[in-house]
Amino acid sequence: MKVSRSIVCTVAAAATAAFAMGNAQAASKGKLGEGLTMYFQMGGPPGGASTLPRQLGAKAAAKAFGVKLMSQFSDWQPQTMVQQFRQAMAASPDCIEIMGHPGNAAFAPLVSKAEKQGIVVTAGNVPLPKLEAQYRANGFGYVGTYLFTGGEITAKSMIKAGHLKKGDEALVYGVFAEGIRGQSAKGVVAGLKKAGLKVFKLNISDQVNKDPSQAVPILVAFIERHPHLKAIGTQQGLVTSFIPKALKEAGKKPGEITVGGIDLAPSTIAGVKDGYIAATLNQQLYLQGFLPVAQCVLTKRFGLEGMNVNTAAGTDDKAMLEKLGPMIKKGIY
């Protein structure tokens, strides 16, 4: 996973500012975030493969800064995220981190109300560009993947790993119906089409989002109907983890269909090592937990504007996972 200089500089600058100010504060008043309460939307279920590193990052930041952290879990359901935001506002915390899956329109009236109450709101995992532009000066930032670009990066890695060529058939199984979140799958489509592949699109339903194991029979059926399929791409982390199972049930050998996915669930890591998954986009979810807490503290204590950080630096293959092994075991990925 190659990390771009711009990302490193952004994160380093934020961390340096946070801890320098924190050290000064600690000398006289204790931890920089002491007395602050933050509600934080983690995304999936507690301890889920695509949720745990975000939990650990947020917990570590909260401990370092002295912030009281209140975690919320939604099984990736947009409507639940909206309801959780209402619940968080009712508690009148200092800060709320929201996931952008429901979209700008769904969150706009609630964010407006929270801003009037003096609550710092920021976003993670899926961006809310209109709200970020409107409230950046009040600390509304974004920490996560630049979705369309992440999809393109995944497609590029798939093409290279599978030696895919013009005319090859590919499936992109993505959350196309979820507005902004769908940009990641659209990026995969664009990247594959640019190389001349024939691309089929299949939408991931709310049911599959909640229970990704349901993706297996859907993918098996699609593979059986398309015997010349050469590639499958997705940008849903837990669906990625079930693709190897689908390939096995469809009677496919490792590498027979080139797979590009996202995140580092245990089954995904095993799939990469076994050759069923060629590459997986690493969002560095730990940063998606840590940095929004830092945003809360820096805005509340010093009035700093929202930061915008792209945490997805590239894709991981088998060789890279060997290097990342010790970090992955600690949940820092």
Side-chain angles (χ1 to χ4, degrees):
M1 177 183 61
K2 297 180 180 179
V3 182
S4 72
R5 169 173 267 179
S6 62
I7 296 171
V8 172
C9 290
T10 302
V11 174
T16 300
F19 285 103
M21 294 174 181
N23 289 336
Q25 184 82 1
S28 58
K29 297 182 181 179
K31 293 184 177 180
L32 189 61
E34 192 172 316
L36 298 180
T37 297
M38 182 176 191
Y39 276 70
F40 200 117
Q41 294 188 358
M42 297 295 175
S50 296
T51 309
L52 180 60
R54 189 180 292 106
Q55 289 177 250
L56 295 176
K59 182 178 179 181
K63 181 178 180 181
F65 289 114
V67 173
K68 181 180 180 181
L69 184 70
M70 306 297 291
S71 300
Q72 296 176 310
F73 303 92
S74 63
D75 284 326
W76 306 110
Q77 300 302 298
Q79 188 55 43
T80 301
M81 294 174 183
V82 174
Q83 294 170 355
Q84 288 176 339
F85 190 23
R86 292 194 180 97
Q87 294 166 0
M89 282 197 300
S92 298
D94 298 283
C95 310
I96 302 174
E97 188 268 6
I98 55 178
M99 294 216 158
H101 302 62
N104 288 288
F107 271 133
L110 298 175
V111 172
S112 176
K113 184 177 179 180
E115 291 284 341
K116 291 175 182 176
Q117 293 178 11
I119 300 172
V120 173
V121 181
T122 191
N125 195 247
V126 172
L128 293 164
K130 292 182 180 179
L131 294 175
E132 182 181 348
Q134 186 174 357
Y135 299 110
R136 181 179 294 114
N138 298 341
F140 197 118
Y142 172 65
V143 177
T145 307
Y146 291 178
L147 301 182
F148 193 89
T149 300
E152 289 182 311
I153 290 171
T154 303
K156 185 176 181 179
S157 293
M158 291 170 62
I159 293 166
K160 181 179 180 181
H163 304 288
L164 302 175
K165 61 185 183 301
K166 184 177 180 179
D168 284 345
E169 292 184 0
L171 166 67
V172 177
Y173 190 30
V175 191
F176 293 102
E178 278 193 25
I180 295 174
R181 188 186 179 196
Q183 289 298 312
S184 56
K186 291 177 181 178
V188 181
V189 171
L192 294 175
K193 283 188 173 182
K194 185 177 181 180
L197 276 72
K198 180 181 178 181
V199 181
F200 300 97
K201 297 191 295 183
L202 188 61
N203 187 62
I204 294 174
S205 67
D206 288 340
Q207 290 75 22
V208 173
N209 261 327
K210 190 171 184 178
D211 180 9
S213 67
Q214 294 185 32
V216 174
I218 294 171
L219 289 171
V220 170
F222 189 92
I223 292 168
E224 291 176 345
R225 290 197 305 270
H226 297 82
H228 301 297
L229 191 69
K230 295 295 184 181
I232 298 175
T234 187
Q235 294 287 270
Q236 210 276 19
L238 295 179
V239 166
T240 300
S241 71
F242 280 97
I243 292 180
K245 180 176 174 62
L247 293 175
K248 292 174 186 177
E249 291 192 10
K252 298 297 181 180
K253 297 178 182 179
E256 193 171 347
I257 291 180
T258 301
V259 175
I262 190 170
D263 292 348
L264 294 170
S267 296
T268 299
I269 294 171
V272 173
K273 291 181 177 179
D274 292 342
Y276 281 101
I277 298 175
T280 183
L281 187 73
N282 189 342
Q283 298 188 73
Q284 301 190 109
L285 297 173
Y286 189 90
L287 285 179
Q288 292 186 22
F290 193 98
L291 291 178
V293 178
Q295 177 72 72
C296 166
V297 175
L298 293 174
T299 299
K300 273 295 181 181
R301 293 298 186 231
F302 306 106
L304 295 187
E305 296 186 0
M307 68 174 101
N308 187 300
V309 181
N310 178 16
T311 63
T315 56
D316 294 335
D317 55 15
K318 185 176 180 180
M320 182 57 68
L321 289 184
E322 293 295 330
K323 295 180 181 180
L324 294 175
M327 291 175 61
I328 292 171
K329 288 180 180 179
K330 296 179 182 178
I332 303 174
Y333 56 85

